[in-house]
C-alpha cells in the first residue's frame, strides 16, 4: 500500500470526523438530529471524482444516504460495503482531545467521535472503492457502497430500512458491515477474530407499578407506586438473560473451548476466562436481556403517584416473538405484584447469516494472504446494525467485519459510544488493503 493511499484514507477519515453528525433528539442537541447530508455529499464528491457512480437518496434533505456503485457484468454475485454516517453525541468535557477535531497524536492515534463507530470504517471502504475504480476494476457483479443515515437511532426512518423500501433495485447478494474484526488474544495463546454473523433484535417494554395516589406529607395515605417500582427493579436486577441454548452460541463456544459445550453455565464461565471481553459478551447471548434504562413517577414532588414506571431495553435472539418476551418479563416479575405492561415500540427481529459461506471463506483467505494468523470466530452481536434490514428487506447474506491490527480489541470495544474513541492510523490503511483485496477475490 503506497504512502499516498495512507494519506488519502487518513484525510477522508479526518474530514468525516470533523463533520458533527450527532444523532439524538433535537431537544438534546439544540439542532436537528443527524445532519448526515454533509457527509453523504462529501463522499459523493470524493467517489465520483474517481469515476464511481454516485447518487444521494433522501427522505429528508438534511439526512441523505449515499448510494455508490461500480457496475458489474452480471455474471457474479453483488457485494455491498455498508456503513453509517451518523454518530452518537459526545461531551467534549470527557475527552482527551476534542471529539470533532480529528486530532492525530505523535503515536499515530486518530481521536474523534466516529473513529471506530464508524467513520474510520466508512473511510476505509470508500478509499478502497476509489482505488478499485482508478485501477479500471470491472467486477462480475455490482460493487456497492451504502453509507446511510440514522443508524444510531432509527426512529426517524430515513436510513437503511427506508432506503431498501424506496429503492428495490438495491438488493446486494452479499454485504460487509460493522461488527467484528478485532484481534482477541486468548489466555491460551490463540488469536481469534470475531466475525459478526448476526445481531440480536429489540422489543422494549414499559413496566408500570400500580398503587394509589396520595399526598406526600402523609406517606401512609394512599399506596405510593414508587416503592412498588423499587421491588420491580429489584426483581429485574441487571436484566441478565435466563440461559437457553442456541446453535450459533454452541458453535461459538465449541471454537473457543475446542469441544462441544456440555453444561451451558460451566461452558460460559470457561470461555469467559479465555478473554476478559468475552466475560460480558457471552452471557448476553444466551437469551432475552432486559436492562432497566428509563424510569418515571410523579410529576410533582408532593404527590405520591398511583403509577411509576421503568422501561426495559430488551434485546432478543433471532426467532424470539413478542409472546416470548412477555413470558420472560412476567416470569421475572412473578405474580404477586400489581403492574401493567405496555410496548413503546414494535419488535425488530434479530437475524443471522450462515456461519459458513463463500464470503466467510473469502474473508479468511484475504486475511491469510495479508499475514493474519488468527482464526475467525462466528459471533452474534449483542447490539443492532443495519444488517438486520439488509437480511429482511433484500435477502442479503450480511456479516460484520473490519480488520484491526494496531488497535487492540480493548481499545476497539471501549470506542463504541464512549469518550476518547480512537483508532491507530495504520488500521485505516490496512482496512483499504483488506477491502480492495476482498472485492477482487469475491467479484474479480
Amino acid at each position: 500500500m503506497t504512502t499516498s493511499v495512507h494519506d488519502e484514507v487518513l484525510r477522508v477519515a479526518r474530514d468525516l470526523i470533523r463533520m458533527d453528525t450527532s444523532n439524538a433528539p433535537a431537544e438534546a442537541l439544540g439542532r436537528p438530529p443527524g445532519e448526515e447530508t454533509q457527509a453523504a455529499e462529501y463522499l459523493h464528491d470524493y467517489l465520483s471524482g474517481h469515476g464511481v457512480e454516485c447518487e444521494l437518496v433522501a427522505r429528508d434533505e438534511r439526512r441523505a444516504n449515499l448510494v455508490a456503485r461500480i457496475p458489474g457484468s452480471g455474471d457474479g454475485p453483488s457485494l455491498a460495503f455498508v456503513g453509517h454516517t451518523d454518530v452518537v453525541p459526545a461531551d467534549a468535557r470527557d475527552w482527551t482531545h476534542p471529539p470533532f477535531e480529528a486530532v492525530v497524536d505523535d503515536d499515530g492515534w486518530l481521536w474523534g467521535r466516529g473513529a471506530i463507530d464508524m467513520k474510520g470504517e466508512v473511510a476505509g471502504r470508500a478509499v478502497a472503492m476509489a482505488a478499485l475504480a482508478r485501477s479500471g476494476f470491472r467486477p462480475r457483479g455490482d460493487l456497492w457502497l451504502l453509507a446511510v443515515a440514522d443508524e444510531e437511532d432509527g426512529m426517524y426512518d430515513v436510513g437503511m430500512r427506508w432506503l431498501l423500501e424506496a429503492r428495490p433495485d438495491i438488493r446486494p447478494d452479499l454485504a460487509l458491515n460493522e461488527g467484528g474484526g478485532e484481534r482477541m488474544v486468548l489466555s491460551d495463546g490463540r488469536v481469534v477474530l470475531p466475525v459478526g454473523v448476526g445481531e440480536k433484535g429489540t422489543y422494549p417494554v414499559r413496566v408500570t407499578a400500580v398503587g394509589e395516589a396520595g399526598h406526600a406529607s402523609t406517606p401512609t395515605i394512599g399506596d405510593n407506586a414508587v416503592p412498588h417500582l423499587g421491588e420491580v427493579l429489584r426483581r429485574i436486577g441487571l436484566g441478565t438473560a435466563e440461559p437457553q441454548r442456541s446453535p450459533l452460541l454452541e458453535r461459538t463456544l465449541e471454537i473457543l473451548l475446542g469441544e462441544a459445550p456440555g453444561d451451558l453455565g460451566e461452558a460460559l464461565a470457561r470461555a469467559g476466562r479465555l478473554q476478559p471481553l468475552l466475560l460480558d459478551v457471552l452471557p448476553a447471548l444466551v437469551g432475552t436481556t432486559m436492562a432497566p434504562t428509563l424510569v418515571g413517577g410523579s410529576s410533582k414532588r408532593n404527590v405520591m403517584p398511583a403509577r411509576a414506571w421503568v422501561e426495559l431495553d430488551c434485546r432478543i435472539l433471532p426467532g424470539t416473538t413478542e409472546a416470548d418476551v412477555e413470558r420472560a418479563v412476567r416470569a421475572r416479575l412473578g405474580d404477586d405484584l400489581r403492574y401493567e405492561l405496555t410496548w413503546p415500540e414494535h419488535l425488530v427481529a434479530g437475524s443471522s447469516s450462515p456461519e459458513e459461506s463463500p464470503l466467510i471463506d473469502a474473508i479468511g483467505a484475504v486475511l491469510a494472504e495479508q499475514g493474519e494468523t488468527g482464526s475467525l470466530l462466528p459471533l452474534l452481536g449483542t447490539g443492532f446494525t443495519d444488517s438486520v434490514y439488509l437480511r429482511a428487506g433484500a435477502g442479503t447474506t450480511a456479516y460484520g467485519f473490519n480488520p484491526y491490527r494496531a488497535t487492540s480489541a480493548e481499545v476497539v470495544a471501549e470506542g463504541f459510544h464512549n469518550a476518547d474513541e480512537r483508532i491507530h492510523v495504520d488500521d485505516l490503511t490496512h482496512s483499504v488493503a483488506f477491502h480492495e483485496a476482498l472485492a477482487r477475490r469475491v467479484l474479480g
Side-chain angles (χ1 to χ4, degrees):
M1 187 64 63
T2 65
T3 302
S4 61
V5 172
H6 174 89
D7 294 342
E8 183 177 357
V9 67
L10 179 58
R11 182 183 72 252
V12 172
R14 295 183 80 185
D15 288 347
L16 289 172
I17 289 170
R18 286 169 176 151
M19 300 172 190
D20 184 352
T21 54
S22 299
N23 190 6
E27 56 269 23
L29 293 173
R31 62 159 176 82
E35 301 280 6
E36 298 96 335
T37 293
Q38 57 185 321
E41 289 177 339
Y42 173 88
L43 290 168
H44 178 284
D45 294 345
Y46 165 73
L47 286 168
S48 61
H50 294 286
V52 179
E53 292 183 6
C54 295
E55 61 178 314
L56 301 183
V57 184
R59 188 177 196 176
D60 178 337
E61 64 180 10
R62 294 176 177 267
R63 313 200 64 183
N65 305 286
L66 172 83
V67 175
R69 183 176 71 117
I70 299 177
S73 62
D75 61 348
S78 55
L79 171 65
F81 294 152
V82 178
H84 61 84
T85 54
D86 62 327
V87 296
V88 296
D91 188 335
R93 294 173 296 181
D94 301 326
W95 287 65
T96 301
H97 300 284
F100 297 106
E101 289 189 10
V103 170
V104 177
D105 68 19
D106 293 340
D107 295 319
W109 292 95
L110 169 61
W111 301 70
R113 176 57 85 220
I116 294 291
D117 185 17
M118 65 174 293
K119 289 178 175 177
E121 238 174 282
V122 168
R125 289 171 177 160
V127 174
M129 198 165 188
L132 288 164
R134 288 195 297 260
S135 74
F137 177 61
R138 291 295 176 262
R140 294 184 297 121
D142 290 344
L143 175 62
W144 301 85
L145 176 66
L146 306 177
V148 301
D150 200 28
E151 191 273 348
E152 294 290 6
D153 189 306
M155 67 175 294
Y156 301 96
D157 197 25
V158 296
M160 184 67 80
R161 195 215 67 81
W162 171 81
L163 177 65
L164 294 173
E165 180 180 80
R167 290 290 300 272
D169 59 307
I170 302 174
R171 293 294 183 268
D173 299 306
L174 310 168
L176 204 62
N177 197 358
E178 63 180 332
E182 61 272 30
R183 299 183 88 249
M184 286 189 178
V185 181
L186 305 184
S187 60
D188 59 11
R190 289 179 295 151
V191 175
V192 295
L193 291 82
V195 54
V197 298
E199 293 81 27
K200 296 183 80 175
T202 66
Y203 191 42
V205 58
R206 175 176 286 201
V207 183
T208 302
V210 179
E212 181 181 345
H215 199 291
S217 65
T218 314
T220 56
I221 290 180
D223 184 18
N224 189 348
V226 172
H228 297 310
L229 179 64
E231 178 60 18
V232 167
L233 291 169
R234 187 190 71 79
R235 296 185 186 187
I236 294 296
L238 296 176
T240 54
E242 291 296 325
Q244 63 185 79
R245 306 189 85 97
S246 66
L248 178 53
L249 180 60
E250 301 263 336
R251 177 59 179 153
T252 301
L253 291 172
E254 182 179 358
I255 292 174
L256 289 170
L257 300 176
E259 61 184 14
D263 177 78
L264 185 56
E266 188 269 341
L268 289 170
R270 285 175 57 200
R273 288 194 292 269
L274 289 170
Q275 224 289 340
L277 292 175
L278 297 173
L279 284 171
D280 295 316
V281 171
L282 293 177
L285 299 179
V286 299
T288 297
T289 57
M290 49 186 78
T293 54
L294 299 173
V295 294
S298 179
S299 60
K300 287 180 63 65
R301 187 175 61 252
N302 64 352
V303 176
M304 297 186 300
R307 285 173 169 76
W309 55 267
V310 58
E311 285 195 9
L312 308 179
D313 182 8
C314 297
R315 301 299 176 111
I316 59 177
L317 293 173
T320 301
T321 67
E322 290 95 336
D324 293 332
V325 178
E326 182 171 350
R327 279 193 294 269
V329 173
R330 291 192 184 279
R332 184 71 63 92
L333 293 176
D335 56 8
D336 59 337
L337 294 176
R338 291 178 62 199
Y339 67 86
E340 301 166 347
L341 298 183
T342 53
W343 312 93
E345 297 175 17
H346 62 82
L347 182 145
V348 177
S351 64
S352 62
S353 296
E355 305 152 40
E356 298 180 354
S357 73
L359 182 53
I360 292 285
D361 293 342
I363 292 171
V366 170
L367 291 173
E369 289 172 354
Q370 296 177 343
E372 177 57 64
T373 57
S375 58
L376 295 177
L377 176 71
L379 194 65
L380 191 69
T382 58
F384 179 86
T385 79
D386 281 331
S387 293
V388 168
Y389 296 128
L390 282 161
R391 296 189 193 102
T396 303
T397 298
Y399 300 108
F401 194 87
N402 181 68
Y404 296 93
R405 287 183 176 174
T407 308
S408 70
E410 291 74 18
V411 172
V412 173
E414 291 166 0
F416 283 92
H417 298 193
N418 205 347
D420 282 350
E421 184 179 351
R422 61 197 183 276
I423 188 172
H424 198 279
V425 296
D426 289 349
D427 280 334
L428 297 174
T429 308
H430 183 47
S431 179
V432 177
F434 169 81
H435 286 93
E436 184 175 354
L438 184 71
R440 292 187 184 278
R441 177 170 285 272
V442 174
L443 303 179

